[in-house]
Amino acid sequence: MECVKTDTGIKIRGVYDLDLAQTLDCGQSFRWVETDNGFEGIAYDKKVTMRMDGDTLYIDSANEADFEKIWKSYLDLELDYGKIREELSEIHPILKEAGEYASGIRILRQEPWEALCTFIISQNNNIKRIKGIVERLCENFGAKIDGGYGFPTAETLAKLSPEDLQPLRAGFRNKYIIDAANKVVSGEVELEKCRTLPYDEARAELMKIKGVGVKVADCALLFGLHRIEAFPVDVWMKRALETLFPEMTAEDFGEYAGIAQQYIFHYSRMHPELFIAN
DNA sequence: GCCCAGGTATAAA
DNA sequence: TTTATACATGGG
């Protein structure tokens, strides 16, 4: 993997197991939009555009320092997903097939607070509307950056009341967002501790927040704190498990359960006919 | 109008 | 411990 400067940003040669559509537009992050030039989005207060050409990743509006500091980690480029797919393939033949089908998915290392907040918004909601609410959240309360708005900090939101979030049109989730901000700022919930806490305790830590149940907690752990053993189960995944892996539970997927979950989710979404029976 | 969307809090069985 | 219902909003 080698990063060099270009006219418009940087390019990185030797990037494998990465498909930007599968990774940036699969419901783990809500701030990426596909344009003519690639995927445009904001993370860590930086706006960039990404596109792939073979094994080369182009990131426009980025520099080499930010690649080392932000984007290499954000795209999880130092984890060998090919090797992980091999290990998962041993667990179950369908997992092998799902992995091959969605081999360009990576688990983003998003900012913990952003992941927590966006998945609170995601409950009983659809991706299109989630993206709209997140966009309004950033425009209204995020810091102005070059080309857009960063994700608002917990400190900023903790100063507000649920009524102040009315412009988001997020409905009953407003009070959950404010509760999360308050508990993160007061230290009652320590996000960083959730990186190293035993999984069950990390989950319980996040579930102190109103509006955070097992699903939202698991998503925040997986996508915000890179706890890749977390295996978020929603209504769709529950059905996929019952149909495709009737003999298995979430724990059986092992230390890479979160990656397995993403493969299964993508695979099952692309093969809805498997579930018509229900 | 009705149903649903990568759920959760709450009350009741 | 398990099961039913409300919750805000917007698109189909």
Side-chain angles (χ1 to χ4, degrees):
Chain A
M1 193 164 52
E2 175 205 11
C3 173
V4 298
K5 214 162 170 308
T6 69
D7 293 346
T8 50
I10 54 174
K11 69 174 173 182
I12 303 94
R13 276 189 270 262
V15 174
Y16 306 103
D17 304 306
L18 175 62
D19 181 298
L20 293 174
Q22 286 178 5
T23 298
L24 299 176
D25 201 17
C26 67
Q28 52 171 323
S29 171
F30 301 98
R31 295 209 69 190
W32 294 94
V33 183
E34 190 167 16
T35 70
D36 292 342
N37 297 325
F39 285 86
E40 186 179 288
I42 297 173
Y44 294 87
D45 283 339
K46 303 279 185 180
K47 180 172 183 179
V48 296
T49 304
M50 299 188 183
R51 66 180 184 282
M52 288 288 287
D53 181 9
D55 296 328
T56 301
L57 167 66
Y58 292 82
I59 309 181
D60 284 346
S61 312
N63 57 42
E64 294 140 297
D66 280 347
F67 177 70
E68 290 303 322
K69 198 172 60 178
I70 299 173
W71 305 115
K72 183 158 58 167
S73 157
Y74 184 76
L75 294 168
D76 205 20
L77 294 180
E78 292 182 298
L79 195 56
D80 186 345
Y81 279 72
K83 188 153 181 282
I84 290 171
R85 270 202 306 287
E86 284 179 25
E87 290 189 29
L88 290 174
S89 298
E90 302 293 317
I91 296 177
H92 197 289
I94 294 179
L95 214 42
K96 179 174 161 65
E97 193 178 337
E100 286 164 357
Y101 197 79
S103 63
I105 288 186
R106 285 172 172 270
I107 307 294
L108 297 170
R109 291 180 188 255
Q110 302 185 63
E111 294 182 84
W113 165 248
E114 175 174 340
L116 172 63
C117 219
T118 55
F119 279 97
I120 286 173
I121 292 168
S122 81
Q123 64 182 90
N124 194 231
N125 212 339
N126 59 70
I127 296 204
K128 186 171 160 61
R129 198 166 80 96
I130 296 165
K131 284 185 172 176
I133 292 171
V134 170
E135 193 178 337
R136 291 189 289 277
L137 178 61
C138 295
E139 285 171 354
N140 279 282
F141 306 110
K144 181 82 187 91
I145 62 161
D146 196 11
Y149 295 89
F151 196 87
T153 63
E155 286 73 15
T156 299
L157 297 180
K159 294 189 175 74
L160 306 175
S161 67
E163 297 74 56
D164 295 324
L165 300 187
Q166 186 58 38
L168 306 186
R169 287 171 275 151
F172 62 89
R173 303 168 191 83
N174 288 345
K175 56 182 180 292
Y176 298 156
I177 296 169
I178 297 303
D179 189 59
N182 287 144
K183 285 177 175 154
V184 165
V185 169
S186 74
E188 188 179 342
V189 171
E190 299 187 65
L191 292 182
E192 283 304 323
K193 243 170 78 179
C194 294
R195 286 192 198 277
T196 49
L197 237 32
Y199 172 61
D200 288 341
E201 292 175 34
R203 211 186 200 187
E205 176 80 359
L206 296 179
M207 287 172 66
K208 290 185 200 165
I209 297 164
K210 282 225 185 337
V212 176
V214 288
K215 166 61 168 47
V216 171
D218 279 347
C219 286
L221 287 172
L222 178 57
F223 303 126
L225 294 148
H226 212 259
R227 297 295 298 260
I228 54 178
E229 75 269 46
F231 192 101
V233 178
D234 55 33
V235 286
W236 181 274
M237 183 54 55
K238 187 177 281 181
R239 230 170 54 155
L241 287 177
E242 286 165 359
T243 312
L244 301 173
F245 306 94
E247 73 286 6
M248 288 179 71
T249 63
E251 292 81 62
D252 297 329
F253 289 94
E255 62 175 316
Y256 301 119
I259 297 173
Q261 192 269 7
Q262 285 298 96
Y263 290 151
I264 297 165
F265 185 76
H266 190 81
Y267 179 77
S268 61
R269 280 291 193 188
M270 295 301 120
H271 296 279
E273 72 279 5
L274 293 171
F275 308 100
I276 286 172
N278 291 349

